[in-house]
């Protein structure tokens, strides 16, 4: 791959390239810009049932779904590009597009372009040979005004683009007044272009567009900055990066069994809102998803707030215990969001769904489509705070404690669906049987324990061997013997799921040292850490370095924010030495 963005460029919205990658460098900090824009939502109804039917066609199923997706969303994307617009996201069975403007006069032109584009894509979808096209209908809604374009996240070098603001609320209102086959303008959008359009008035001040008085000619296409591949990667999901790195630039879609997670982060971060709070929330959910090996697919905003979509089971993120990982990520993100004062809601579903690209060669996204995706979204809307479906609970019940709830009636389902609330991960059950045939090993451990108990002389004992030969039983015997001798024991252990989590084995050790203060809130926790680490460590601002080990994260200090990864690791080591 050359120094240019190449195929990666198609996976990053143009507005993000202009605002955040103009210098050609990958982002290093959260940013937000307020701009004027016309916003269009094209909602395709009937797409999910079509995907479900095609999934039953055996080996031809994925190929046929990809063909239909390319025809529908490819033509839609091409129409937006021809009108000078920018496809922001493919959210579910819909596409969001944006036309930026520098001032109010240009905003009027942007709305006319978006309106003409809406009429055009209605024609294109109606004429497309989609197989079951009579089942697919399109609704188009337009809004206009000031939006906020934010670049947030940054965990493991991955950044998300989020566009929010009043036009998205306008779109939601206009869409409720829109019937299939029509284009509807919000009151704000209609007020800017009333003299240049023909149509009829609808409820809530909306305007149903029939035609423009004169065609709009698009001539002022805004050039893109030359972005390198390294900078563009920051906005591309890891599952997509792996495919592109393997040279699979035009891969076909596929059906996979996937655990899908929808997380609502509350307020949508409208223009003028606290971007720092949005950054903290996105960072918290990124940490939870990446900790358990998931892939973040999207971050979108609507009138209901900001929603993150993640998945386990897609390329490069598939494990035998995908549902367990997804549930544990949900529990972790809820805990982190709660500590930030964010009332997040999470929905989970596990099902065979379609995973593939949507859009055109110039602008595309990796998307998830199917009934399981819709179900996860519906469960999120009903969650207080986490809900999952029966398939997820069945696959994870041996590792997670669930609470059974009354069946829920959700949109898109003719019958109520089973719903479960995950409570916590089940603790590992220790082996209690006495070791057999390990007299030499037991004698060595007894000698070392006596030396510690009588003379205070410590040491290290390394026990290694093949799986299943009794190491756990031997260690259990040592712990029980130490407790009988009133020797304090601190136990840490690894977990295959936590392979990528730094300091995971130290978490239970630190929790034992902190005692009840670990559950007493931030203030009590900080006081206990000061007592263990010393006042000088507290005054230096280093204590938040222990956040990966703490049940309640401490507020980051200026000192820790500016530390390099190496100095952070050294700081954690020094603090652990003080505490232990």
């Amino acid at each position: 791959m050359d120094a240019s963005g190449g195929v990666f460029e198609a996976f990053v919205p143009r507005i993000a390239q202009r605002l955040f990658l103009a210098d050609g460098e990958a982002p290093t900090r959260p940013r937000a810009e307020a701009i004027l824009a016309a916003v269009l939502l094209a909602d395709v109804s009937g797409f999910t049932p079509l995907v479900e039917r095609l999934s039953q066609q055996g080996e031809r199923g994925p190929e046929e779904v990809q063909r239909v997706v390319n025809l529908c969303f490819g033509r839609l994307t091409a129409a937006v590009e021809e009108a000078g617009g920018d496809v922001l996201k493919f959210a579910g069975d819909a596409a969001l597009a944006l036309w930026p403007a520098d001032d109010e006069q240009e905003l009027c032109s942007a709305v006319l372009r978006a309106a003409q584009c809406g009429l055009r894509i209605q024609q294109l979808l109606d004429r497309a040979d989609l197989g079951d096209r009579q089942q697919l209908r399109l609704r188009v809604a337009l809004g206009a005004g000031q939006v906020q374009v934010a670049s947030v996240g940054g965990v493991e070098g991955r950044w998300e683009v989020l566009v929010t603001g009043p036009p998205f609320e306008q779109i939601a209102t206009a869409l409720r007044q829109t019937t299939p086959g029509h284009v509807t303008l919000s009151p704000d959008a209609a007020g800017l272009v009333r003299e240049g359009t023909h149509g009829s008035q609808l409820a809530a001040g909306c305007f149903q567009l029939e035609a423009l008085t004169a065609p709009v000619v698009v001539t002022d296409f805004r050039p893109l900055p030359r972005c390198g591949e390294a900078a563009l990667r920051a906005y591309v999901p890891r599952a997509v990066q792996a495919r592109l790195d393997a040279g699979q630039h035009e891969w076909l879609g596929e059906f996979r069994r996937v655990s899908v997670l929808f997380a609502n982060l509350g307020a949508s971060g409208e223009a003028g809102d606290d971007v720092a709070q949005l950054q903290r929330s996105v960072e918290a959910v990124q940490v939870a998803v990446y900790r358990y090996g998931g892939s973040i697919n999207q971050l979108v905003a609507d009138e209901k707030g900001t929603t993150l979509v993640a998945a386990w089971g897609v390329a490069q993120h598939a494990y035998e215990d995908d549902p367990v990982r997804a549930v544990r990520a949900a529990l972790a993100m809820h805990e982190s969001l709660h500590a930030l004062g964010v009332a997040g809601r999470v929905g989970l579903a596990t099902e065979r769904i379609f995973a593939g690209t949507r859009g055109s060669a110039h602008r595309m996204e990796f998307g998830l489509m199917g009934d399981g995706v819709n179900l996860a979204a519906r469960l999120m809307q009903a969650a207080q705070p986490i809900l999952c479906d029966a398939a997820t609970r069945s696959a994870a019940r041996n590792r997670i404690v669930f609470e059974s709830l009354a069946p829920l009636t959700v949109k898109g389902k003719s019958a109520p669906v089973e719903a479960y609330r995950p409570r916590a991960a089940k603790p590992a059950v220790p082996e209690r049987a006495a070791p057999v045939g390990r007299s030499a090993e037991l004698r060595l451990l007894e000698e070392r324990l006596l030396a510690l108990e009588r003379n205070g002389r410590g040491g290290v004992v390394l026990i290694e061997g093949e799986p299943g030969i009794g190491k756990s039983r031997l260690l259990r015997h040592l712990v029980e013997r130490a407790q009988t001798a009133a020797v304090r024991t601190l136990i840490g252990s690894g977990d295959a799921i936590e392979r990528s989590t730094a300091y995971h084995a130290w978490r239970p050790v630190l929790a034992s040292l902190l005692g009840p203060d670990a559950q007493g809130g931030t203030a009590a926790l900080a006081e206990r850490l000061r007592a263990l680490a010393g006042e000088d460590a507290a005054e230096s601002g280093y204590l938040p370095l222990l956040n990966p080990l703490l049940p309640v994260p401490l507020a980051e200090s200026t000192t820790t924010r500016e530390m390099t990864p190496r100095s952070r690791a050294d700081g954690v080591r020094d603090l652990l030495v003080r505490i232990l």
Side-chain angles (χ1 to χ4, degrees):
M1 191 78 61
D2 57 27
S4 68
V7 293
F8 285 87
E9 190 174 74
F11 289 90
V12 183
R14 293 175 178 175
I15 191 66
Q17 295 182 47
R18 292 193 182 99
L19 294 180
F20 308 128
L21 299 178
D23 59 1
E25 300 295 328
T28 58
R29 60 183 177 84
R31 292 178 58 188
E33 300 285 345
I35 64 171
L36 294 174
V39 182
L40 176 148
L41 175 70
D43 180 56
V44 184
S45 60
F47 212 96
T48 297
L50 177 59
V51 171
E52 294 298 313
R53 288 197 297 275
L54 294 177
S55 70
Q56 307 303 316
Q57 295 188 5
E59 294 182 359
R60 290 187 61 251
E63 183 177 347
E64 185 63 15
V65 172
Q66 191 69 72
R67 184 188 74 84
V68 173
V69 168
N70 289 343
L71 278 172
C72 181
F73 290 101
R75 294 191 178 192
L76 189 156
T77 302
V80 171
E81 293 172 345
E82 291 171 4
D86 177 15
V87 175
L88 294 174
K89 302 278 185 181
F90 294 98
D93 296 343
L96 275 169
L98 176 143
W99 283 257
D102 293 329
D103 52 39
E104 289 288 342
Q105 182 176 354
E106 192 173 330
L107 182 61
C108 297
S109 175
V111 175
L112 284 173
R113 295 177 188 179
Q116 181 169 277
C117 178
L119 294 173
R120 176 63 176 155
I121 60 180
Q122 287 285 11
Q123 296 172 351
L124 289 172
L125 180 63
D126 184 59
R127 295 175 184 176
D129 180 14
L130 301 177
D132 288 345
R133 74 168 178 268
Q134 72 278 4
Q135 301 293 331
L136 296 178
R137 299 301 305 276
L138 182 69
R139 295 184 299 162
V140 178
L142 272 70
Q146 182 172 283
V147 299
Q148 176 175 271
V149 186
S151 172
V152 291
V155 175
E156 297 187 12
R158 277 284 289 116
W159 295 84
E160 302 291 337
V161 179
L162 184 68
V163 184
T164 58
F168 291 87
E169 296 181 4
Q170 298 171 26
I171 284 175
T173 300
L175 196 64
R176 286 191 287 269
Q177 305 300 324
T178 308
T179 54
H182 293 100
V183 177
T184 301
L185 278 63
S186 72
D188 296 73
L192 292 168
V193 297
R194 188 61 58 89
E195 294 182 0
T197 59
H198 295 298
S200 56
Q201 197 68 35
L202 301 175
C206 295
F207 182 76
Q208 182 173 292
L209 179 68
E210 301 297 340
L212 302 183
T213 57
V216 179
V217 179
V218 182
T219 58
D220 58 337
F221 288 95
R222 303 184 178 202
L224 288 174
R226 185 171 177 78
C227 299
E229 179 184 309
L232 291 165
R233 279 179 181 268
Y235 293 105
V236 179
R238 298 276 171 75
V240 174
Q241 292 187 34
R243 294 276 189 159
L244 298 183
D245 289 340
Q248 300 172 348
H249 301 166
E250 297 180 359
W251 74 84
L252 290 176
E254 57 187 342
F255 284 97
R256 304 177 69 112
R257 186 168 180 80
V258 177
S259 292
V260 182
L261 179 151
F262 274 68
N264 184 278
L265 311 184
S268 60
E270 294 180 359
D273 280 1
D274 184 5
V275 178
Q277 175 63 27
L278 176 63
Q279 166 65 17
R280 288 190 290 269
S281 298
V282 173
E283 195 174 43
V285 294
Q286 278 189 319
V287 168
V289 171
Y290 296 149
R291 172 181 170 185
Y292 291 105
S295 172
I296 293 178
N297 191 52
Q298 275 190 337
L299 185 70
V300 296
D302 57 22
E303 79 282 4
K304 301 181 185 68
T306 301
T307 299
L308 177 136
V309 184
W312 286 256
V314 296
Q316 306 297 313
H317 300 274
Y319 311 90
E320 293 182 356
D321 54 353
D322 286 329
V324 176
R325 291 169 178 266
V327 174
R328 293 189 65 173
L331 292 167
M333 68 176 60
H334 168 66
E335 183 178 342
S336 297
L337 291 173
H338 180 74
L340 293 172
V342 177
R345 302 192 308 276
V346 183
L348 294 145
T350 300
E351 196 166 302
R352 187 171 179 264
I353 63 174
F354 178 79
T357 56
R358 292 179 284 186
S360 70
H362 299 104
R363 178 70 181 101
M364 67 178 73
E365 276 194 349
F366 176 75
L368 307 172
M369 288 173 280
D371 189 55
V373 180
N374 294 344
L375 179 56
R378 302 304 180 198
L379 290 172
M380 176 197 71
Q381 293 170 1
Q384 293 293 343
I386 307 173
L387 286 180
C388 71
D389 68 339
T392 304
R393 183 253 186 181
S394 178
R397 62 189 302 176
N398 291 333
R399 305 278 296 277
I400 308 290
V401 178
F402 288 93
E403 175 187 356
S404 298
L405 304 176
L408 294 176
T409 300
V410 299
K411 182 180 178 181
K413 292 288 188 179
S414 58
V417 298
E418 294 182 53
Y420 301 88
R421 180 178 295 135
R423 288 298 189 184
K426 290 182 178 179
V429 179
E431 293 277 358
R432 294 190 175 276
V436 177
R438 298 294 178 190
S439 56
E441 291 87 349
L442 288 172
R443 185 164 55 252
L444 173 61
L445 292 175
E446 184 72 20
E447 291 173 356
R448 292 299 178 91
L449 184 60
L450 287 174
L452 175 65
E453 182 183 2
R454 296 175 180 175
N455 308 320
R457 190 171 72 248
V460 175
V461 177
L462 175 63
I463 302 175
E464 58 182 353
E466 296 297 324
I469 64 171
K471 298 187 300 297
S472 296
R473 292 184 181 183
L474 198 61
L475 288 172
R476 179 66 190 176
H477 177 80
L478 174 63
V479 170
E480 291 177 347
R481 173 65 182 83
Q483 291 172 341
T484 301
V487 174
R488 187 176 187 182
T489 59
L490 301 172
I491 302 172
S493 62
D495 187 321
I497 288 181
E498 303 282 3
R499 187 185 302 273
S500 61
T501 304
Y503 313 118
H504 169 71
W506 289 98
R507 288 185 177 184
V509 174
L510 193 59
S512 296
L513 290 171
L514 295 174
D517 291 324
Q519 310 299 328
T522 305
L525 181 61
E527 185 62 32
R528 178 63 172 152
L529 285 172
R530 289 191 192 96
L532 289 171
E535 286 296 332
D536 56 337
E539 292 173 2
S540 68
Y542 282 5
L543 290 182
L545 291 175
L546 294 175
N547 278 344
L549 304 169
L550 301 176
V552 180
L554 302 177
E556 284 278 352
S557 64
T558 302
T559 302
T560 56
R561 288 195 196 97
E562 297 175 351
M563 294 176 72
T564 65
R566 176 60 182 271
S567 60
R568 292 180 74 92
D570 290 342
V572 171
R573 179 200 61 201
D574 293 343
L575 285 171
L576 288 177
V577 168
R578 288 170 176 266
I579 291 171
L580 296 175

